[in-house]
Amino acid sequence: MAQIAKGLEGVVVADTALSHIDGERGRLIYCGYDIGDLAAHATFEEVAYLLWHGHLPNRAELAEFTGEMARYRTLPPAVVEVIRVLPDSAEPLEVLRTAVSAFAAALDFKGHPSVTHAMALTGSMPSIMATFDRLRRGLPPVPPRADLSHASNYLYMLTGEVPSEQRARALETYLVLTADHGLNASTFTARVIASTLSDMGSAIVGAIGALKGPLHGGAPALVLDMLRAIGKPENAEAWLKAVLDRGERIMGFGHRVYRTEDPRARVLRALAERTSEIEFFKLALHVEDVALRLLHERKPERRIYTNVEFYSAAVLHGVGLPDDLFTPTFAISRVAGWTAHVIEQLKDNRLIRPDAEYVGPMNLTFVPLDQR
Ligand code: ACO
């Protein structure tokens, strides 16, 4: 019987020049650049360009590119209509998944997935989420502004007010940090879909579906729920012990690849200190300390550390996003990586089609329906 790598852990299924994760040393590289440098100095637009073209843009390239991507901030009327008719009970990520599908259909995304498709999807997703959020609050959508950055315009369309430089930069840093991350579940999904020679819209809709689960992108709002439920530092120990005693997971900790601290968590912790209320930040710090101690005591061999989601929650909350827009905002960033992977997959494509070991019964005799 073939050896099965459950969850494909450690199985290499693609070459990529997009991002490299060194799980032992806690390093993340995009196209050769350390994530710490990009987080400190680059805009989201520069990082998207880097992922799609393999090099950082010069000033002229960046100006042309940002102008072009900003054109897609205005949604086709059919997409706004789709958002309008979805029931109020729909989850934001369901709305995003559906509206992205409608957007790709409205723009007639036929043919080979391209950087234009990548720009269109990336440019449109903040508008989709902001339109949805405004409509559900009974407010008219705010038309996008082409003179604002990607991050700033997203906050502007949500609130109708141009955000402070500090708030926009905090969100932008989050978007830079989460734009790509190797062959995570949603990126793999996008590559599988691309490998069938399907279109860019389908690949991104599939990726959004994969991101939705709490083991992948669904954790940051759950982190916030956890911090609120704990309420104050002195409750942390008992609360977290109870979670582990029930055999449940502490949200915001653990990672398939990192065996040390996630470098994104380090940047986000510093950012959270600047963006969140001091009492809330102190609570998060304390909960992190206790959780790490308990996890290391109970599962020393697992080397479980803080993951990107833990402080994402504090940062996204700090910039004023509603809790249920945290995971869609992750998608708004990761779409840069998803689309880059689709383009990369098609440069040297082979249908991704693994095997399964059959473990079911054999040689059963078929029994006609009325005799069962
Ligand atoms: N809390 C408690 N125990 C944990 C945690 C956690 N956060 N993370 C891992 N473990 C334990 C598991 O119970 C398991 O123990 P066992 O072998 O005794 O059963 C062991 O560590 C290994 O866990 P796996 O699920 O096999 O590890 P995997 O690599 O599949 O998991 C994952 C990674 C899914 C992120 C996991 O750590 C987890 O569930 N974390 C909590 C949810 C979370 O924070 N999700 C966001 C992930 S980041 C992202 O996707 C962007």
Side-chain angles (χ1 to χ4, degrees):
M1 194 188 268
Q3 188 84 33
I4 295 171
K6 244 187 144 185
L8 294 182
E9 185 162 1
V11 177
V12 176
V13 298
D15 283 334
T16 182
L18 297 172
S19 58
H20 170 62
I21 307 162
D22 183 338
E24 285 296 328
R25 291 189 191 80
R27 280 194 80 192
L28 172 60
I29 309 279
Y30 292 170
C31 305
Y33 297 95
D34 191 273
I35 196 64
D37 283 342
L38 293 172
H41 306 296
T43 61
F44 175 72
E45 285 86 331
E46 285 177 281
V47 166
Y49 188 100
L50 172 68
L51 291 168
W52 295 335
H53 295 277
H55 64 91
L56 285 167
N58 62 30
R59 210 171 272 286
E61 286 167 333
L62 184 63
E64 190 188 336
F65 165 77
T66 47
E68 212 181 324
M69 190 157 79
R71 283 201 294 119
Y72 294 102
R73 290 177 184 171
T74 303
L75 299 176
V79 177
V80 178
E81 211 36 50
V82 165
I83 298 170
R84 239 182 245 284
V85 298
L86 284 171
D88 288 350
S89 56
E91 289 177 31
L93 216 54
E94 292 175 317
V95 174
L96 184 65
R97 192 187 59 209
T98 308
V100 162
S101 189
F103 180 81
L107 261 68
D108 200 9
F109 268 19
K110 299 232 171 30
H112 207 69
S114 65
V115 172
T116 303
H117 295 162
M119 266 193 307
L121 285 163
T122 306
S124 72
M125 279 170 50
S127 308
I128 290 173
M129 275 299 97
T131 300
F132 158 72
D133 186 61
R134 301 279 301 180
L135 289 174
R136 71 175 169 174
R137 288 188 284 139
L139 298 168
V142 174
R145 271 179 51 176
D147 59 323
L148 298 176
S149 71
H150 195 68
S152 182
N153 178 63
Y154 179 32
L155 292 171
Y156 168 70
M157 284 189 296
L158 283 166
T159 61
E161 284 168 24
V162 177
S164 69
E165 185 63 34
Q166 196 214 16
R167 227 155 58 90
R169 183 59 197 157
L171 178 63
E172 175 157 67
T173 307
Y174 167 83
L175 298 179
V176 166
L177 288 171
T178 51
D180 196 42
H181 205 241
L183 219 55
N184 56 85
S186 55
T187 302
F188 182 54
T189 305
R191 284 189 87 127
V192 170
I193 295 172
S195 83
T196 70
L197 302 186
S198 183
D199 64 292
M200 183 70 99
S202 301
I204 302 313
V205 169
I208 294 170
L211 185 71
K212 192 161 176 287
L215 297 190
H216 188 10
L222 300 175
V223 169
L224 210 54
D225 291 346
M226 173 178 79
L227 291 174
R228 288 194 185 116
I230 292 173
K232 39 190 183 186
E234 49 273 37
N235 297 341
E237 179 111 9
W239 202 93
L240 294 171
K241 273 185 174 160
V243 169
L244 294 176
D245 289 345
R246 289 195 300 270
E248 293 171 5
R249 303 205 168 186
I250 305 177
M251 290 295 137
F253 296 87
H255 198 274
R256 175 60 64 86
V257 184
Y258 291 113
R259 293 292 166 255
T260 181
E261 183 171 76
D262 182 330
R264 300 166 300 173
R266 204 174 310 138
V267 180
L268 286 165
R269 186 186 294 108
L271 206 54
E273 188 170 10
R274 298 201 292 276
T275 47
S276 39
E277 287 157 16
I278 186 70
E279 286 312 312
F280 186 78
F281 180 68
K282 280 189 188 157
L283 172 68
L285 266 188
H286 182 76
V287 168
E288 182 188 26
D289 271 358
V290 176
L292 288 175
R293 175 165 51 75
L294 293 176
L295 287 166
H296 293 174
E297 274 166 22
R298 297 203 185 194
K299 297 186 191 284
E301 72 297 348
R302 290 298 186 180
R303 296 163 68 193
I304 302 172
Y305 290 88
T306 315
N307 67 37
V308 65
E309 305 276 21
F310 189 74
Y311 284 104
S312 291
V315 170
L316 296 179
H317 179 64
V319 300
L321 288 183
D323 299 9
D324 64 356
L325 291 197
F326 290 1
T327 304
T329 303
F330 190 168
I332 281 170
S333 155
R334 185 55 61 83
V335 67
W338 290 333
T339 47
H341 277 268
V342 167
I343 293 166
E344 186 179 64
Q345 175 67 31
L346 293 175
K347 283 186 186 148
D348 182 24
N349 187 47
R350 181 160 165 79
L351 176 69
I352 300 174
R353 202 293 186 198
D355 278 339
E357 188 76 27
Y358 179 69
V359 294
M362 301 280 275
N363 304 324
L364 297 182
T365 305
F366 183 80
V367 182
L369 186 58
D370 55 7
Q371 293 170 31
R372 278 178 235 156

